[in-house]
Amino acid sequence: MALIKPFTISIPDEKLEQLSQKLANTTFPNELDEAGWDHGAPLADIKRLTKYWRESYDWRKAEAKINELPNYKTQIEVDGFGSIDIHFVHQKSPMEGAIPLLFCHGWPGSFLEVTKILPLLTTPTTPSTPSFHIIAPSLPNFGFSAGIHTRGFALAQHAETCHKLMLRLGYAQYVTQGGDWGCMITRIMSLRYPTHVKAAHINMVRAHRPTPLSNPLLYLQHKLLSPSSSSSNKARAAEERNKWMLQEGSGYRALQSTKPQTLAYSLSDSPVGLLAWIYEKLHDWTDSYPWTDDEILTWVSLYYHSTPGPAASLQIYYEVAHDPHFPRDRTETWIPGVPLGLSHFPKELTVVPKLWGRTMGPVVFQSEKDQGGHFAAWECPEVLVGDLRVMFGRGGGAAGVVEGRDGYGVEVEVGRAKL
């Protein structure tokens, strides 16, 4: 068995010096008079962030903070791809019966997204609050996991990697939480490993209108239910969000799904290009979240300093788009056998009615929020944690799904995860 070793992030000084030189030598583009966010990341914002990145931002401070997390690395054997070096955070709860939960990130996020919910989920606040052991990997091609250098590493391979990591850690049964690619990966995990994945929660709900053939009962409900004025307002807001995403917000996906290598030259060579590419998404995909410059630059730095390089993360878009076996559409349809929880946020990239979500699987928990966007664990961690506590707590739809681990029990001493 491959060893599990503690991991410490330590970016070489020469790489930081090279970054400073690149930032100093940036050539900025022109900008139209009165250009706004509809044109992309504003020039004034990018100039300000570039200056701060070069003169004031303290990567070593951010690095030290991340190193306070229980970081580890191990080798995972993936069919057809050999052994892959995987970085992950493994924070154990002090509660004996804590539920193992895999947190799966997407793009342009990272394992860092889990940090705000870690203390909330691992440490119970009341006797009725369930606790969790949290495992948050860097996906292959992201963060401090290895890069993949051969074709075909798509959803099934990411799902296999995450599943085998959970088995490596001794969790034969576990639950999952995901957004963005993490939603799709954990959905494929539910499809492929239903005896191990005991329940799944997602905060990016991509579903389809029920039809008479696929979901006759839901189809009738959809036709018969007359919306109230408040739900009509929500429906109009959802329609506007979906229209914006289709017409104005989805160009990145077309590029990354078709010609990732061409885009990779710019993102790899230009830290400011990488900053602008990611910063635009942080602005457009959230619900007026007040990003600080330090937050933005830490998120971007995790891509710039990543082990496989800033552009490796684009490959998942191409591979999934060209995979005939597990296309992204499969994650949007019925997957049986695994209890499903759904949290709907109004500024998600695609906003669908709650009823549509029930076409995705056996839904045991569902909530609809008035605020929040694509990065729920970062934007509104207390809200996401609240949903998980309801879903997996006593009386919840997924209570007791993991044998011998109901989220409760006596408190035991833990420091770094015992492996």
Side-chain angles (χ1 to χ4, degrees):
M1 173 181 285
L3 294 176
I4 297 173
K5 298 180 180 180
F7 172 67
T8 300
I9 301 164
S10 182
I11 304 303
D13 287 338
E14 53 267 29
K15 186 168 184 181
L16 297 181
E17 292 168 3
Q18 181 190 58
L19 169 61
S20 181
Q21 293 171 3
K22 282 179 174 286
L23 293 172
N25 294 328
T26 299
T27 299
F28 291 99
N30 295 322
E31 184 179 63
L32 294 178
D33 294 341
E34 300 181 357
W37 275 102
D38 58 322
H39 271 251
L43 180 60
D45 283 16
I46 297 303
K47 283 187 172 181
R48 185 195 79 249
L49 286 163
T50 300
K51 185 176 188 294
Y52 184 71
W53 198 357
R54 180 170 179 247
E55 298 179 359
S56 303
Y57 174 71
D58 189 347
W59 164 253
R60 291 301 184 205
K61 180 180 177 181
E63 184 181 69
K65 188 68 175 176
I66 297 170
N67 280 331
E68 292 177 5
L69 299 171
N71 291 282
Y72 299 93
K73 276 195 172 185
T74 192
Q75 297 277 323
I76 298 294
E77 191 79 19
V78 178
D79 293 346
F81 292 86
S83 188
I84 301 171
D85 197 37
I86 297 297
H87 159 256
F88 62 98
V89 169
H90 183 198
Q91 179 67 67
K92 297 198 77 172
S93 168
M95 302 307 294
E96 188 178 37
I99 304 163
L101 183 147
L102 173 80
F103 176 91
C104 196
H105 70 83
W107 184 92
S110 70
F111 72 94
L112 191 67
E113 291 177 77
V114 82
T115 55
K116 290 186 178 181
I117 65 175
L118 270 181
L120 302 175
L121 288 177
T122 56
T123 305
T125 55
T126 69
S128 62
T129 302
S131 297
F132 301 81
H133 299 315
I134 305 297
I135 301 87
S138 291
L139 294 172
N141 284 328
F142 288 79
F144 302 105
S145 289
I148 306 299
H149 302 290
T150 53
R151 288 177 179 264
F153 203 95
L155 290 178
Q157 290 70 36
H158 282 283
E160 181 183 347
T161 303
C162 292
H163 172 59
K164 287 182 175 179
L165 173 61
M166 296 301 282
L167 297 183
R168 172 70 48 78
L169 296 174
Y171 301 128
Q173 295 184 6
Y174 55 89
V175 302
T176 65
Q177 201 292 316
D180 196 82
W181 285 116
C183 162
M184 300 180 201
I185 291 166
T186 56
R187 292 281 288 161
I188 296 301
M189 293 175 73
S190 294
L191 182 66
R192 299 193 72 193
Y193 312 110
T195 60
H196 298 274
V197 180
K198 307 308 291 185
H201 178 275
I202 58 175
N203 57 273
M204 184 178 77
V205 185
R206 297 179 61 89
H208 300 280
R209 184 192 306 269
T211 67
L213 293 178
S214 63
N215 305 95
L217 292 179
L218 292 179
Y219 173 77
L220 287 175
Q221 291 180 50
H222 182 68
K223 285 293 186 182
L224 295 175
L225 289 177
S226 56
S228 64
S229 59
S230 62
S231 63
S232 295
N233 291 337
K234 287 182 178 179
R236 283 191 290 272
E239 183 179 353
E240 286 300 312
R241 182 65 170 172
N242 295 338
K243 180 181 178 181
W244 169 84
M245 185 62 192
L246 180 65
Q247 296 181 356
E248 306 289 342
S250 58
Y252 80 98
R253 192 173 71 194
L255 285 171
Q256 294 179 179
S257 298
T258 55
K259 294 290 187 280
Q261 185 63 30
T262 304
L263 184 59
Y265 299 109
S266 299
L267 300 187
S268 298
D269 185 62
S270 172
V272 174
L274 178 70
L275 166 64
W277 194 244
I278 292 178
Y279 175 52
E280 175 201 290
K281 314 305 183 291
L282 301 186
H283 173 274
D284 287 354
W285 294 2
T286 53
D287 192 0
S288 301
Y289 177 76
W291 291 98
T292 67
D293 289 354
D294 282 292
E295 284 179 307
I296 294 164
L297 292 174
T298 298
W299 277 52
V300 174
S301 293
L302 282 173
Y303 278 83
Y304 188 78
H305 297 311
S306 69
T307 298
S313 60
L314 308 184
Q315 293 299 331
I316 188 172
Y317 285 86
Y318 182 91
E319 298 299 346
V320 173
H322 294 81
D323 180 18
H325 305 294
F326 292 97
R328 60 188 294 156
D329 287 354
R330 181 64 188 91
T331 70
E332 301 167 8
T333 57
W334 184 269
I335 294 176
V338 177
L340 179 63
L342 308 174
S343 294
H344 298 254
F345 290 91
K347 291 296 184 178
E348 186 49 86
L349 305 187
T350 302
V351 183
V352 301
K354 286 179 66 177
L355 189 141
W356 291 23
R358 291 160 57 191
T359 67
M360 299 177 73
V363 173
V364 299
F365 172 85
Q366 195 168 23
S367 69
E368 191 172 42
K369 310 303 180 185
D370 294 324
Q371 289 184 310
H374 188 63
F375 305 105
W378 195 262
E379 293 179 66
C380 41
E382 295 86 356
V383 174
L384 183 63
V385 166
D387 282 359
L388 292 171
R389 286 173 173 170
V390 172
M391 178 175 171
F392 292 102
R394 292 187 177 121
V401 290
V402 176
E403 294 176 12
R405 297 177 182 270
D406 64 355
Y408 303 93
V410 298
E411 187 171 341
V412 296
E413 183 179 351
V414 334
R416 286 180 73 95
K418 300 294 190 295
L419 299 171

